[in-house]
Amino acid sequence: MAPGGNAGSGLEIEHLIAQRRLELAGKPGIAGLVSNGKTFSIAVFASLGGLVYGYNQGMFGQILSMNNFAKASGVTGIDNPTLSGFLTSILELGAWVGVLANGILADTLGRKLCVVVACVLFCIGVIVQACTHGGSYDYILGGRFVTGIGVGSLSMIVPLYNAELAPPEIRGSLVALQQLAITFGIMISYWITYGTNFIGGTGDGQSKAAWLVPITIQLVPALVLAIGIMFMPQSPRWLMNQGREEECRDIIANLRRLPPDAPLVEMEFLEVKAQRLFEERISHRDFPQYQDGSFSSNFQLGLRGYASLLTNRGNFKRTAVAVLVMTFQQWTGVNFILYYAPFIFQRLGLSGKTISLLASGVVGIVMFLATIPAVLYVDQWGRKPTLIVGAIVMG
């Protein structure tokens, strides 16, 4: 009877804790974003990382169709499919490197410094691209690869940072801000390049500024993010992992605008601490030989962590779902539209490069507007229904 009684008591305690957590939690959706205004504002600022990613994606496809850019880079639109494909995909290759490196850097440097490093790399890549001249596309290749490392790092670290700042009831919305920022960046890139396309005319006399302005203007949000993020709060979860528990508690209290001893603050603090203790115990159980705290041991733990995504059955299932969802999302051809929209519209019969750029701008507006409902209501509708509806509408 005793074991059964203890198990029953444990379940009752868990139920009471869960019930109390729900009572303390705020509302999801717009009401939750308003009541957590400080956290929401910080997440909006951090999502500048998504804006520079989206802007870079949308901008490059537009300048590919500009006469002066073709002369400076030696790239004539998409007449050479292999070259044009490589010029666009090399950004994604760099992004892949940036994401892989972030796994270690985010835990070592912290989320904020990781954002700064990513912004610096992004700016270096932009400057290299701006140096393009003499009909050589080497500057574009090298610059886009380095830029890709930066945007890849930002595309991983910004949602992570937002998620770790957010209370559970609006976590989905704050993570989705990254995608909203990306679509906003794509939208403004289309309209900026549509405007700069007229500098010096659209023919052979077109000015170098027509493509140089859209490229270099990316430096502004990247520098604002790099400087401004240093004034933002550190991630509570990262502080907990570093053993800085009191700082973790104080930041949670500050974000929720409550005193440190408030029940909600205490509950969130204990949730973060429980997660850290759970991860530490699993690590000690599975890898006792790598617990001395040295760099080599921490590196080995990181590698073993990546390997567990494939070797652990539960982790493999989660990894497979995430990878397959993103794979099929990419197979919809959305990136092809983002990069080559002007050329697609020309092939569909919209004569003139200016008209095709204008049509691309309309696509950008539609994408941005379609993302807004998901950001506002994903925590109310749920992740799967939102994904299914989006896929049906796209189909």
Side-chain angles (χ1 to χ4, degrees), residues 36-92:
N36 290 277
K38 185 170 186 176
T39 305
F40 177 59
S41 300
I42 294 169
V44 170
F45 177 79
S47 295
L48 279 173
L51 185 145
V52 297
Y53 186 15
Y55 180 90
N56 191 275
Q57 274 194 311
M59 173 274 301
F60 189 71
Q62 309 308 299
I63 66 172
L64 273 176
S65 65
M66 294 183 181
N67 283 321
N68 193 273
F69 180 76
K71 294 177 183 178
S73 65
V75 181
T76 54
I78 55 173
D79 294 340
N80 184 338
T82 302
L83 176 59
S84 59
F86 188 49
L87 284 170
T88 53
S89 63
I90 197 168
L91 179 86
E92 316 303 333

Short mmCIF file of all heavy atoms in Angstrom, two decimals, residues 36-92:
data_model
loop_
_atom_site.label_atom_id
_atom_site.label_comp_id
_atom_site.label_asym_id
_atom_site.label_seq_id
_atom_site.Cartn_x
_atom_site.Cartn_y
_atom_site.Cartn_z
N ASN A 36 2.86 41.85 -20.82
CA ASN A 36 4.31 41.61 -20.73
C ASN A 36 5.04 42.56 -21.68
O ASN A 36 5.92 42.16 -22.44
CB ASN A 36 4.64 40.16 -21.10
CG ASN A 36 4.18 39.16 -20.06
OD1 ASN A 36 4.85 38.93 -19.06
ND2 ASN A 36 3.01 38.59 -20.28
N GLY A 37 4.66 43.83 -21.59
CA GLY A 37 5.16 44.83 -22.53
C GLY A 37 6.67 44.96 -22.56
O GLY A 37 7.26 45.14 -23.62
N LYS A 38 7.31 44.85 -21.41
CA LYS A 38 8.77 45.00 -21.37
C LYS A 38 9.46 43.86 -22.10
O LYS A 38 10.36 44.08 -22.93
CB LYS A 38 9.25 45.06 -19.92
CG LYS A 38 10.74 45.33 -19.79
CD LYS A 38 11.13 45.62 -18.35
CE LYS A 38 12.59 46.03 -18.26
NZ LYS A 38 12.99 46.40 -16.88
N THR A 39 9.04 42.64 -21.81
CA THR A 39 9.61 41.47 -22.49
C THR A 39 9.34 41.52 -23.98
O THR A 39 10.21 41.22 -24.81
CB THR A 39 9.04 40.18 -21.90
OG1 THR A 39 9.25 40.16 -20.49
CG2 THR A 39 9.71 38.96 -22.50
N PHE A 40 8.12 41.93 -24.34
CA PHE A 40 7.74 42.04 -25.75
C PHE A 40 8.61 43.06 -26.47
O PHE A 40 9.10 42.81 -27.58
CB PHE A 40 6.27 42.43 -25.84
CG PHE A 40 5.78 42.65 -27.25
CD1 PHE A 40 5.83 41.63 -28.19
CD2 PHE A 40 5.25 43.88 -27.63
CE1 PHE A 40 5.38 41.83 -29.49
CE2 PHE A 40 4.79 44.09 -28.92
CZ PHE A 40 4.85 43.07 -29.85
N SER A 41 8.86 44.20 -25.84
CA SER A 41 9.68 45.25 -26.45
C SER A 41 11.12 44.77 -26.68
O SER A 41 11.72 45.04 -27.72
CB SER A 41 9.69 46.50 -25.57
OG SER A 41 8.38 47.01 -25.40
N ILE A 42 11.67 44.07 -25.69
CA ILE A 42 13.03 43.54 -25.84
C ILE A 42 13.09 42.54 -26.98
O ILE A 42 14.03 42.54 -27.78
CB ILE A 42 13.49 42.89 -24.52
CG1 ILE A 42 13.62 43.96 -23.42
CG2 ILE A 42 14.82 42.16 -24.70
CD1 ILE A 42 13.82 43.39 -22.03
N ALA A 43 12.08 41.68 -27.08
CA ALA A 43 12.04 40.67 -28.14
C ALA A 43 11.92 41.33 -29.52
O ALA A 43 12.53 40.86 -30.49
CB ALA A 43 10.88 39.71 -27.91
N VAL A 44 11.13 42.40 -29.60
CA VAL A 44 11.01 43.13 -30.87
C VAL A 44 12.37 43.69 -31.29
O VAL A 44 12.77 43.59 -32.45
CB VAL A 44 9.97 44.26 -30.76
CG1 VAL A 44 10.04 45.18 -31.99
CG2 VAL A 44 8.57 43.68 -30.61
N PHE A 45 13.09 44.27 -30.34
CA PHE A 45 14.41 44.82 -30.65
C PHE A 45 15.37 43.71 -31.09
O PHE A 45 16.08 43.85 -32.09
CB PHE A 45 14.99 45.55 -29.45
CG PHE A 45 16.38 46.08 -29.69
CD1 PHE A 45 16.56 47.25 -30.41
CD2 PHE A 45 17.49 45.39 -29.23
CE1 PHE A 45 17.85 47.73 -30.67
CE2 PHE A 45 18.77 45.87 -29.48
CZ PHE A 45 18.95 47.03 -30.20
N ALA A 46 15.38 42.60 -30.35
CA ALA A 46 16.29 41.50 -30.69
C ALA A 46 15.98 40.95 -32.08
O ALA A 46 16.88 40.45 -32.78
CB ALA A 46 16.20 40.40 -29.65
N SER A 47 14.72 41.07 -32.50
CA SER A 47 14.32 40.53 -33.79
C SER A 47 14.85 41.35 -34.96
O SER A 47 14.58 41.00 -36.13
CB SER A 47 12.79 40.43 -33.87
OG SER A 47 12.31 39.49 -32.93
N LEU A 48 15.60 42.41 -34.68
CA LEU A 48 16.35 43.07 -35.75
C LEU A 48 17.26 42.07 -36.47
O LEU A 48 17.60 42.25 -37.63
CB LEU A 48 17.18 44.22 -35.19
CG LEU A 48 16.48 45.56 -34.94
CD1 LEU A 48 17.42 46.52 -34.22
CD2 LEU A 48 15.99 46.16 -36.24
N GLY A 49 17.65 41.02 -35.73
CA GLY A 49 18.45 39.97 -36.35
C GLY A 49 17.70 39.29 -37.47
O GLY A 49 18.28 38.92 -38.50
N GLY A 50 16.41 39.10 -37.30
CA GLY A 50 15.58 38.54 -38.37
C GLY A 50 15.40 39.52 -39.51
O GLY A 50 15.36 39.14 -40.69
N LEU A 51 15.30 40.81 -39.18
CA LEU A 51 15.13 41.82 -40.21
C LEU A 51 16.31 41.85 -41.17
O LEU A 51 16.14 41.90 -42.39
CB LEU A 51 14.93 43.19 -39.56
CG LEU A 51 14.61 44.35 -40.52
CD1 LEU A 51 13.66 45.34 -39.87
CD2 LEU A 51 15.89 45.09 -40.93
N VAL A 52 17.55 41.81 -40.62
CA VAL A 52 18.72 41.87 -41.51
C VAL A 52 18.82 40.60 -42.36
O VAL A 52 19.27 40.65 -43.51
CB VAL A 52 20.03 42.10 -40.71
CG1 VAL A 52 19.99 43.43 -40.00
CG2 VAL A 52 20.31 40.97 -39.73
N TYR A 53 18.37 39.47 -41.81
CA TYR A 53 18.37 38.23 -42.59
C TYR A 53 17.37 38.33 -43.74
O TYR A 53 17.70 38.05 -44.91
CB TYR A 53 18.01 37.05 -41.67
CG TYR A 53 18.12 35.69 -42.31
CD1 TYR A 53 18.78 35.49 -43.51
CD2 TYR A 53 17.55 34.57 -41.68
CE1 TYR A 53 18.88 34.23 -44.08
CE2 TYR A 53 17.65 33.30 -42.26
CZ TYR A 53 18.31 33.14 -43.45
OH TYR A 53 18.41 31.91 -44.02
N GLY A 54 16.15 38.75 -43.42
CA GLY A 54 15.13 38.87 -44.46
C GLY A 54 15.50 39.90 -45.50
O GLY A 54 15.31 39.68 -46.71
N TYR A 55 16.03 41.04 -45.05
CA TYR A 55 16.42 42.09 -45.99
C TYR A 55 17.48 41.57 -46.96
O TYR A 55 17.40 41.81 -48.16
CB TYR A 55 16.95 43.31 -45.23
CG TYR A 55 17.36 44.43 -46.15
CD1 TYR A 55 16.46 45.41 -46.53
CD2 TYR A 55 18.66 44.48 -46.66
CE1 TYR A 55 16.84 46.42 -47.40
CE2 TYR A 55 19.05 45.49 -47.53
CZ TYR A 55 18.14 46.46 -47.89
OH TYR A 55 18.52 47.46 -48.75
N ASN A 56 18.47 40.85 -46.42
CA ASN A 56 19.53 40.34 -47.27
C ASN A 56 19.00 39.35 -48.29
O ASN A 56 19.43 39.35 -49.45
CB ASN A 56 20.61 39.69 -46.39
CG ASN A 56 21.87 39.35 -47.18
OD1 ASN A 56 21.96 38.32 -47.80
ND2 ASN A 56 22.83 40.26 -47.15
N GLN A 57 18.06 38.50 -47.86
CA GLN A 57 17.46 37.54 -48.78
C GLN A 57 16.74 38.24 -49.92
O GLN A 57 16.91 37.91 -51.09
CB GLN A 57 16.48 36.64 -48.03
CG GLN A 57 17.10 35.42 -47.39
CD GLN A 57 16.04 34.43 -46.97
OE1 GLN A 57 15.05 34.79 -46.32
NE2 GLN A 57 16.21 33.19 -47.32
N GLY A 58 15.88 39.19 -49.57
CA GLY A 58 15.08 39.86 -50.59
C GLY A 58 15.89 40.78 -51.47
O GLY A 58 15.65 40.87 -52.69
N MET A 59 16.85 41.48 -50.89
CA MET A 59 17.63 42.47 -51.62
C MET A 59 18.45 41.86 -52.75
O MET A 59 18.50 42.39 -53.86
CB MET A 59 18.54 43.20 -50.62
CG MET A 59 19.55 44.16 -51.23
SD MET A 59 21.12 43.37 -51.74
CE MET A 59 21.70 42.70 -50.19
N PHE A 60 19.09 40.73 -52.49
CA PHE A 60 20.03 40.20 -53.48
C PHE A 60 19.33 39.79 -54.76
O PHE A 60 19.84 40.02 -55.87
CB PHE A 60 20.80 39.01 -52.91
CG PHE A 60 21.93 38.57 -53.78
CD1 PHE A 60 23.07 39.35 -53.91
CD2 PHE A 60 21.86 37.39 -54.50
CE1 PHE A 60 24.12 38.96 -54.73
CE2 PHE A 60 22.90 36.99 -55.33
CZ PHE A 60 24.03 37.78 -55.44
N GLY A 61 18.16 39.21 -54.65
CA GLY A 61 17.42 38.82 -55.84
C GLY A 61 17.04 40.02 -56.70
O GLY A 61 16.95 39.92 -57.94
N GLN A 62 16.82 41.16 -56.05
CA GLN A 62 16.43 42.36 -56.79
C GLN A 62 17.61 43.00 -57.51
O GLN A 62 17.49 43.42 -58.67
CB GLN A 62 15.81 43.39 -55.83
CG GLN A 62 14.72 42.84 -54.93
CD GLN A 62 13.62 42.12 -55.68
OE1 GLN A 62 12.94 42.70 -56.52
NE2 GLN A 62 13.46 40.83 -55.41
N ILE A 63 18.77 43.08 -56.84
CA ILE A 63 19.92 43.73 -57.49
C ILE A 63 20.49 42.86 -58.61
O ILE A 63 21.19 43.37 -59.50
CB ILE A 63 21.02 44.12 -56.49
CG1 ILE A 63 21.67 42.88 -55.87
CG2 ILE A 63 20.48 45.05 -55.42
CD1 ILE A 63 22.91 43.22 -55.02
N LEU A 64 20.20 41.56 -58.58
CA LEU A 64 20.65 40.69 -59.67
C LEU A 64 20.11 41.14 -61.01
O LEU A 64 20.71 40.88 -62.07
CB LEU A 64 20.22 39.24 -59.41
CG LEU A 64 21.14 38.35 -58.57
CD1 LEU A 64 20.49 37.00 -58.33
CD2 LEU A 64 22.50 38.19 -59.21
N SER A 65 18.95 41.83 -61.00
CA SER A 65 18.32 42.24 -62.26
C SER A 65 18.73 43.65 -62.69
O SER A 65 18.23 44.16 -63.69
CB SER A 65 16.79 42.18 -62.11
OG SER A 65 16.34 43.13 -61.16
N MET A 66 19.64 44.28 -61.93
CA MET A 66 20.06 45.65 -62.25
C MET A 66 21.22 45.66 -63.24
O MET A 66 22.18 44.88 -63.10
CB MET A 66 20.45 46.40 -60.97
CG MET A 66 19.30 46.64 -60.02
SD MET A 66 19.84 47.60 -58.58
CE MET A 66 18.30 47.69 -57.64
N ASN A 67 21.17 46.57 -64.21
CA ASN A 67 22.20 46.64 -65.26
C ASN A 67 23.58 46.92 -64.70
O ASN A 67 24.56 46.27 -65.07
CB ASN A 67 21.83 47.74 -66.27
CG ASN A 67 20.74 47.28 -67.22
OD1 ASN A 67 20.74 46.14 -67.65
ND2 ASN A 67 19.82 48.18 -67.55
N ASN A 68 23.70 47.92 -63.82
CA ASN A 68 25.01 48.30 -63.33
C ASN A 68 25.63 47.21 -62.46
O ASN A 68 26.85 47.02 -62.48
CB ASN A 68 24.92 49.60 -62.53
CG ASN A 68 26.29 50.20 -62.26
OD1 ASN A 68 26.94 49.86 -61.27
ND2 ASN A 68 26.75 51.08 -63.14
N PHE A 69 24.80 46.48 -61.71
CA PHE A 69 25.33 45.39 -60.89
C PHE A 69 25.89 44.29 -61.79
O PHE A 69 26.92 43.68 -61.47
CB PHE A 69 24.25 44.82 -59.98
CG PHE A 69 24.72 43.69 -59.11
CD1 PHE A 69 25.51 43.94 -58.00
CD2 PHE A 69 24.41 42.37 -59.42
CE1 PHE A 69 25.97 42.90 -57.21
CE2 PHE A 69 24.87 41.32 -58.64
CZ PHE A 69 25.65 41.59 -57.53
N ALA A 70 25.21 44.04 -62.91
CA ALA A 70 25.71 43.02 -63.84
C ALA A 70 27.09 43.40 -64.37
O ALA A 70 27.98 42.55 -64.51
CB ALA A 70 24.73 42.86 -65.00
N LYS A 71 27.32 44.70 -64.64
CA LYS A 71 28.62 45.15 -65.13
C LYS A 71 29.69 45.03 -64.04
O LYS A 71 30.82 44.61 -64.30
CB LYS A 71 28.53 46.60 -65.59
CG LYS A 71 27.64 46.82 -66.79
CD LYS A 71 27.55 48.31 -67.11
CE LYS A 71 26.61 48.57 -68.28
NZ LYS A 71 26.48 50.04 -68.55
N ALA A 72 29.32 45.41 -62.81
CA ALA A 72 30.31 45.43 -61.73
C ALA A 72 30.69 44.03 -61.27
O ALA A 72 31.85 43.78 -60.91
CB ALA A 72 29.75 46.21 -60.53
N SER A 73 29.74 43.11 -61.30
CA SER A 73 29.98 41.77 -60.75
C SER A 73 30.23 40.70 -61.81
O SER A 73 30.70 39.61 -61.49
CB SER A 73 28.79 41.33 -59.90
OG SER A 73 27.64 41.19 -60.71
N GLY A 74 29.89 41.02 -63.07
CA GLY A 74 30.03 40.02 -64.11
C GLY A 74 28.92 38.99 -64.10
O GLY A 74 29.02 37.95 -64.77
N VAL A 75 27.87 39.24 -63.34
CA VAL A 75 26.74 38.32 -63.24
C VAL A 75 25.58 38.90 -64.02
O VAL A 75 25.05 39.95 -63.68
CB VAL A 75 26.32 38.10 -61.77
CG1 VAL A 75 25.15 37.12 -61.69
CG2 VAL A 75 27.49 37.60 -60.96
N THR A 76 25.18 38.22 -65.08
CA THR A 76 24.08 38.72 -65.92
C THR A 76 22.79 37.98 -65.58
O THR A 76 22.38 37.05 -66.26
CB THR A 76 24.41 38.53 -67.40
OG1 THR A 76 24.73 37.14 -67.63
CG2 THR A 76 25.60 39.39 -67.81
N GLY A 77 22.16 38.42 -64.48
CA GLY A 77 20.87 37.84 -64.10
C GLY A 77 20.97 36.36 -63.85
O GLY A 77 21.82 35.89 -63.11
N ILE A 78 20.09 35.59 -64.52
CA ILE A 78 20.10 34.13 -64.36
C ILE A 78 20.41 33.44 -65.68
O ILE A 78 19.99 32.31 -65.93
CB ILE A 78 18.76 33.61 -63.79
CG1 ILE A 78 17.57 34.07 -64.64
CG2 ILE A 78 18.57 34.07 -62.35
CD1 ILE A 78 16.25 33.45 -64.23
N ASP A 79 21.14 34.14 -66.55
CA ASP A 79 21.52 33.53 -67.82
C ASP A 79 22.45 32.35 -67.61
O ASP A 79 22.48 31.41 -68.41
CB ASP A 79 22.21 34.57 -68.72
CG ASP A 79 21.24 35.67 -69.14
OD1 ASP A 79 20.02 35.43 -69.06
OD2 ASP A 79 21.71 36.77 -69.52
N ASN A 80 23.23 32.40 -66.53
CA ASN A 80 24.09 31.28 -66.17
C ASN A 80 23.49 30.65 -64.90
O ASN A 80 23.78 31.10 -63.79
CB ASN A 80 25.52 31.76 -65.91
CG ASN A 80 26.47 30.61 -65.61
OD1 ASN A 80 26.06 29.53 -65.20
ND2 ASN A 80 27.76 30.86 -65.81
N PRO A 81 22.65 29.63 -65.02
CA PRO A 81 21.94 29.08 -63.86
C PRO A 81 22.88 28.56 -62.78
O PRO A 81 22.60 28.71 -61.59
CB PRO A 81 21.11 27.93 -64.46
CG PRO A 81 20.99 28.26 -65.91
CD PRO A 81 22.26 28.95 -66.27
N THR A 82 24.01 27.95 -63.17
CA THR A 82 24.94 27.41 -62.18
C THR A 82 25.54 28.52 -61.33
O THR A 82 25.58 28.44 -60.09
CB THR A 82 26.05 26.61 -62.86
OG1 THR A 82 25.48 25.57 -63.65
CG2 THR A 82 26.99 26.02 -61.83
N LEU A 83 26.01 29.57 -61.99
CA LEU A 83 26.63 30.68 -61.27
C LEU A 83 25.62 31.41 -60.39
O LEU A 83 25.89 31.69 -59.22
CB LEU A 83 27.26 31.66 -62.26
CG LEU A 83 27.86 32.94 -61.64
CD1 LEU A 83 28.95 32.58 -60.64
CD2 LEU A 83 28.40 33.86 -62.73
N SER A 84 24.44 31.72 -60.95
CA SER A 84 23.45 32.46 -60.17
C SER A 84 22.96 31.64 -58.99
O SER A 84 22.72 32.16 -57.90
CB SER A 84 22.26 32.87 -61.05
OG SER A 84 21.64 31.73 -61.63
N GLY A 85 22.85 30.32 -59.20
CA GLY A 85 22.45 29.45 -58.10
C GLY A 85 23.50 29.40 -57.00
O GLY A 85 23.17 29.42 -55.81
N PHE A 86 24.77 29.36 -57.42
CA PHE A 86 25.86 29.32 -56.43
C PHE A 86 25.95 30.63 -55.66
O PHE A 86 26.19 30.65 -54.45
CB PHE A 86 27.18 29.01 -57.14
CG PHE A 86 28.32 28.76 -56.20
CD1 PHE A 86 28.19 27.87 -55.14
CD2 PHE A 86 29.55 29.40 -56.37
CE1 PHE A 86 29.24 27.63 -54.26
CE2 PHE A 86 30.60 29.17 -55.50
CZ PHE A 86 30.44 28.28 -54.45
N LEU A 87 25.74 31.74 -56.34
CA LEU A 87 25.81 33.05 -55.69
C LEU A 87 24.74 33.21 -54.61
O LEU A 87 24.96 33.86 -53.60
CB LEU A 87 25.66 34.17 -56.73
CG LEU A 87 26.88 34.45 -57.61
CD1 LEU A 87 26.52 35.40 -58.73
CD2 LEU A 87 28.01 35.04 -56.77
N THR A 88 23.58 32.64 -54.85
CA THR A 88 22.52 32.73 -53.86
C THR A 88 22.68 31.68 -52.76
O THR A 88 22.52 31.98 -51.57
CB THR A 88 21.13 32.57 -54.51
OG1 THR A 88 21.11 31.36 -55.29
CG2 THR A 88 20.81 33.74 -55.42
N SER A 89 23.04 30.46 -53.13
CA SER A 89 23.11 29.38 -52.15
C SER A 89 24.31 29.48 -51.22
O SER A 89 24.29 28.89 -50.13
CB SER A 89 23.13 28.02 -52.86
OG SER A 89 24.30 27.88 -53.66
N ILE A 90 25.34 30.22 -51.61
CA ILE A 90 26.52 30.31 -50.75
C ILE A 90 26.18 31.03 -49.44
O ILE A 90 26.83 30.82 -48.41
CB ILE A 90 27.69 31.01 -51.49
CG1 ILE A 90 29.01 30.70 -50.75
CG2 ILE A 90 27.47 32.52 -51.61
CD1 ILE A 90 30.25 31.08 -51.54
N LEU A 91 25.16 31.89 -49.47
CA LEU A 91 24.70 32.51 -48.23
C LEU A 91 24.19 31.44 -47.27
O LEU A 91 24.47 31.46 -46.06
CB LEU A 91 23.60 33.52 -48.51
CG LEU A 91 23.03 34.21 -47.26
CD1 LEU A 91 23.87 35.42 -46.90
CD2 LEU A 91 21.59 34.63 -47.47
N GLU A 92 23.42 30.47 -47.80
CA GLU A 92 22.87 29.40 -46.97
C GLU A 92 23.98 28.49 -46.45
O GLU A 92 23.88 27.96 -45.33
CB GLU A 92 21.85 28.57 -47.77
CG GLU A 92 20.87 29.38 -48.61
CD GLU A 92 20.08 30.38 -47.79
OE1 GLU A 92 19.88 30.16 -46.59
OE2 GLU A 92 19.67 31.41 -48.36
#
